[in-house]
Amino acid sequence: MNHIHLDAVGGIAGDMFIAAMLDMIPHLRPSIDQDIHRILPADIGRVEIAKTRKNGMHTQTFNLVFNPDYEPHGKSDHGPDHGHEHERRIGSGAYTDIVGYIRSSDLAPGTITVACAILTLLAEAEAKTHAVDISDVHFHEIADWDSVLDVVIAGSIIAALPDTRWTVSDLPRGGGLVKTQHGLLPVPAPATAELLAGFTWRDDGISGERVTPTGAAILKYLIDPEGNATPSAGSKKLLASGVGAGTRNIKELPNILRALQFDAASAARDMTCDQDHVTVIEFEIDDMTGEEIATASEILRDCDGVIDLVQFAGQGKKNRPVTSFRLLAQTGLADQVMDACFAQTSTIGLRHHVTERRILRRTESRDETGVRTKSVARPAGVTSCKVEHDDLTGEDLHSRRRQKYQAELQAEQKG
């Protein structure tokens, strides 16, 4: 299991969380770009993910750049009916409208679940603060596209990292007043304070809103304050780090959120395993012949970037027999592999996601007869061997088995 620790140096907001995570885990970028395309209409604007510097430090930013002619909430010089349907649906800021828009989108189910859960936590806090029913909550401060986008893309990132433990440092309290729809309110805002009850705060003497309601809702979703703890020195292996910048400039310190990714693996596992990331590509076929599927499979197996291809027989719509394809591809070549899937099969749609892979380290040897053997050392200390079956040259099953066992025995003795 991975452990991601968030250092709220300058504070935390939705855009800072996204930027820090993309800086730390760049392989998430392709799926994030797709989710941006699915949730953000082109007439609203575009997302800019860029490298920058805050107080001399390398950081990354995540910002929505609105189109020059964008009029929030469907308002324009062309009359009240000029606004698009998607604009009217989130324009009121109603919790039910925003959740409805997200649920009706083409986002992956996992992303929808997490994003709506984060919004629900925020709505519950707002409902308690203003003594209204959750169905009557209006997000005056997150009614525009930048905040909705932050919630959705944060949900996409969290859904892509299911086996992760999250922790956070003490949170900067900030100070002064923040302007809201209800007038000036003390920092942290009431909903933020409600969401983060139980978390530890610090006063670094720097005023302003340091934790936004959206950032607070993300933390509430990810972390139980009772189990929140800073990683112990020497107990975990640091895999990666990333830094996300906020829009505000603070003289005294960089306005950043730092993310640290740790691996809680034992030393024994570290000695025997490697980890990497691969793209899983899946689709079903119900209108190709057996000969066509066989040919397509062989061509796809030989494509650059394809690590493995597995097929399953199943039953699809209208009780048709289907063949399910599942490919493992190098993430950097995944687009090329998906193009090949469309070219070599009749599928008109496929699913893909990036996942972690853990691999036992292996060594290859060859005996005096030319038979190759792969050996792996398992974490428990047991070495297992597997003979390359294509190298066996016996005339019958008995002789091939004898040749195989002899090759395995020699490999184990060498190991």
Side-chain angles (χ1 to χ4, degrees):
M1 174 184 287
N2 282 336
H3 174 187
I4 294 178
H5 181 73
L6 303 173
D7 273 331
V9 180
I12 181 168
D15 60 333
M16 296 170 73
F17 173 81
I18 294 167
M21 294 302 298
L22 290 179
D23 189 41
M24 182 173 69
I25 314 177
H27 77 264
L28 293 174
R29 179 68 184 271
S31 60
I32 294 306
D33 287 342
Q34 288 186 350
D35 284 345
I36 291 170
H37 177 74
R38 289 168 178 153
I39 198 68
L40 180 67
D43 58 312
I44 301 298
R46 60 182 175 81
V47 169
E48 193 174 78
I49 302 172
K51 302 290 185 182
T52 186
R53 290 167 69 87
K54 283 282 184 182
N55 297 41
M57 289 189 61
H58 150 84
T59 65
Q60 186 151 280
T61 58
F62 179 90
N63 294 310
L64 173 57
V65 180
F66 290 103
N67 290 334
D69 59 349
Y70 168 68
E71 292 286 344
H73 315 327
K75 299 173 184 176
S76 75
D77 296 334
H78 300 282
D81 295 328
H82 182 73
H84 294 285
E85 177 63 24
H86 55 251
E87 191 66 7
R88 290 195 294 269
R89 291 188 64 182
I90 74 155
S92 67
Y95 160 72
T96 52
D97 287 346
I98 298 174
V99 167
Y101 177 76
I102 293 172
R103 285 179 175 158
S104 65
S105 69
D106 293 330
L107 295 164
T111 298
I112 292 174
T113 298
V114 177
C116 290
I118 292 171
L119 277 173
T120 300
L121 288 170
L122 187 52
E124 290 171 346
E126 291 281 0
K128 185 174 180 179
T129 299
H130 301 294
V132 298
D133 188 80
I134 190 172
S135 61
D136 296 325
V137 167
H138 282 66
F139 294 127
H140 299 291
E141 277 72 50
I142 73 159
D144 215 339
W145 282 100
D146 48 359
S147 297
V148 173
L149 188 68
D150 286 350
V151 170
V152 169
I153 302 307
S156 179
I157 291 170
I158 294 166
L161 302 169
D163 298 320
T164 299
R165 177 177 174 243
W166 299 81
T167 57
V168 68
S169 66
D170 294 351
L171 301 172
R173 192 180 68 195
L177 301 173
V178 62
K179 187 176 181 180
T180 75
Q181 187 75 13
H182 307 284
L184 294 173
L185 293 174
V187 172
T192 300
E194 176 66 29
L195 285 162
L196 296 181
F199 284 79
T200 304
W201 296 76
R202 71 177 190 272
D203 184 2
D204 56 13
I206 302 172
S207 64
E209 185 178 42
R210 308 285 295 282
V211 179
T212 68
T214 303
I218 292 170
L219 291 179
K220 177 72 172 178
Y221 177 82
L222 291 174
I223 300 167
D224 175 4
E226 295 299 321
N228 185 42
T230 301
S232 302
S235 64
K236 300 177 188 296
K237 176 181 176 182
L238 180 62
L239 299 178
S241 65
V243 180
T247 55
R248 178 187 172 195
N249 290 317
I250 301 175
K251 268 186 184 180
E252 296 86 347
L253 51 75
N255 185 23
I256 61 170
L257 173 71
R258 184 176 69 163
L260 301 172
Q261 183 183 27
F262 295 91
D263 183 5
S266 67
R269 198 201 75 192
D270 286 345
M271 293 295 291
T272 58
C273 295
D274 291 317
Q275 289 197 173
D276 65 1
H277 296 89
V278 295
T279 296
V280 180
I281 302 168
E282 299 173 308
F283 58 92
E284 283 74 45
I285 296 294
D286 66 359
D287 57 355
M288 290 175 64
T289 67
E291 291 89 347
E292 290 171 335
I293 289 175
T295 300
S297 299
E298 289 306 310
I299 293 173
L300 289 175
R301 282 192 178 95
D302 290 337
C303 284
D304 289 341
V306 173
I307 300 168
D308 196 9
L309 186 157
V310 180
Q311 294 174 352
F312 306 90
Q315 197 168 24
K317 62 182 180 181
K318 300 181 181 178
N319 293 321
R320 295 173 183 167
V322 299
T323 300
S324 295
F325 283 67
R326 187 178 68 195
L327 294 87
L328 295 185
Q330 297 172 21
T331 297
L333 297 174
D335 288 339
Q336 178 179 317
V337 173
M338 286 186 276
D339 287 344
C341 291
F342 285 126
Q344 300 301 331
T345 74
S346 62
T347 187
I348 58 174
L350 48 79
R351 305 171 299 281
H352 63 96
H353 64 275
V354 178
T355 188
E356 286 188 328
R357 184 173 63 147
R358 186 176 299 172
I359 315 162
L360 291 176
R361 294 175 187 169
R362 63 205 69 184
T363 58
E364 187 173 296
S365 60
R366 190 185 296 267
D367 68 10
E368 62 274 8
T369 66
V371 176
R372 291 169 293 167
T373 305
K374 290 180 181 177
S375 301
V376 295
R378 300 187 180 276
V382 178
T383 299
S384 59
C385 303
K386 182 174 179 61
V387 168
E388 188 66 49
H389 198 270
D390 290 346
D391 292 344
L392 301 178
T393 57
E395 295 181 356
D396 54 31
L397 177 61
H398 177 71
S399 60
R400 289 192 296 272
R401 282 181 172 175
R402 183 171 58 186
Q403 188 180 15
K404 172 186 173 183
Y405 297 147
Q406 288 175 346
E408 288 176 343
L409 181 60
Q410 287 186 23
E412 288 175 0
Q413 290 172 344
K414 288 180 180 178

